[in-house]
Amino acid sequence: MNVLITGASRGVGRGIALAFADIGARLLLTGRTLDGPLSLRESAKLVAQRGATAIPLQCDHQDRAAISALSDSVAKSFPEGLDVLVNNVWQGNDLPDSEKPFWEQDSNEIWQKLIDGGVRAHYETTCQCIPHLKRGALVVAIGFWDNEKYAHSLVYDLALNAINRFALGLSHELRNREHVS
């Protein structure tokens, strides 16, 4: 099984990588941090300790050129195609001024981290990976659902819900391509 996991250097992404390692999947792991603690190389090492293989690939998912290069890496690493794409990339942690009302926050920085670093990154990565998906492949969008509760900040809540809507729309768009979302 060939799996691409974005945002795999730490947290949920790393956990997903380790779960796929336990079933022997071949992994391509992306994130911004290649070396050091909470890095892609550290995640790849943990995957190897479980007997699976992982290729760490540094990729800033806010950079369109980097995402295009990722598409080439997917084709090279998995010429037979991808079985699973896990969109986990997210830059919404440690936001500055997150306790301030939204109108007092740095709107450019907040928007860039949450919308560009989350929603757009999911979209762009998926667009680049669609041609590499095998028939019946699974596309996963890691989002957030809290039964219609507000997620503590206007743009934060907007971004999380946009990812959920992205997953819904993706399931409709890919239905006829025999991919699953």
Side-chain angles (χ1 to χ4, degrees):
M1 177 182 301
N2 299 329
V3 182
L4 168 61
I5 305 170
T6 68
S9 60
R10 65 196 73 180
V12 172
R14 178 179 280 179
I16 292 168
L18 296 177
F20 275 110
D22 287 342
I23 61 170
R26 295 179 1 187
L27 308 174
L28 182 58
L29 309 177
T30 72
R32 290 174 293 160
T33 308
L34 187 59
D35 293 303
L38 299 176
S39 69
L40 292 168
R41 289 194 207 271
E42 189 177 271
S43 292
K45 182 180 176 182
L46 293 170
V47 165
Q49 289 172 356
R50 293 175 183 231
T53 59
I55 301 165
L57 180 67
Q58 189 171 30
C59 180
D60 181 349
H61 287 270
Q62 290 189 79
D63 180 344
R64 282 187 164 167
I67 295 172
S68 291
L70 171 61
S71 177
D72 295 339
S73 295
V74 169
K76 182 179 177 184
S77 301
F78 304 134
E80 64 280 6
L82 271 175
D83 295 291
V84 182
L85 165 61
V86 178
N87 277 309
N88 177 61
V89 64
W90 176 251
Q91 294 184 19
N93 300 324
D94 302 319
L95 293 172
D97 304 325
S98 62
E99 299 306 315
K100 289 183 180 179
F102 74 90
W103 60 90
E104 293 178 8
Q105 297 174 6
D106 180 346
S107 60
N108 288 329
E109 183 176 9
I110 299 292
W111 193 267
Q112 182 183 16
K113 285 186 174 210
L114 296 173
I115 303 301
D116 292 342
V119 181
R120 192 177 132 264
H122 281 237
Y123 176 78
E124 295 281 347
T125 301
T126 301
C127 288
Q128 291 295 320
C129 289
I130 292 292
H132 305 294
L133 294 176
K134 291 180 180 179
R135 183 178 188 172
L138 177 66
V139 178
V140 179
I142 302 298
F144 172 82
W145 178 255
D146 196 15
N147 197 27
E148 299 294 330
K149 292 181 183 169
Y150 183 64
H152 85 270
S153 164
L154 179 64
V155 180
Y156 194 87
D157 188 81
L158 173 68
L160 291 172
N161 281 289
I163 290 171
N164 292 339
R165 296 299 298 183
F166 168 74
L168 176 65
L170 193 61
S171 69
H172 288 279
E173 294 285 334
L174 295 180
R175 184 175 292 137
N176 293 331
R177 290 183 52 95
E178 299 189 28
H179 297 105
V180 180
S181 177

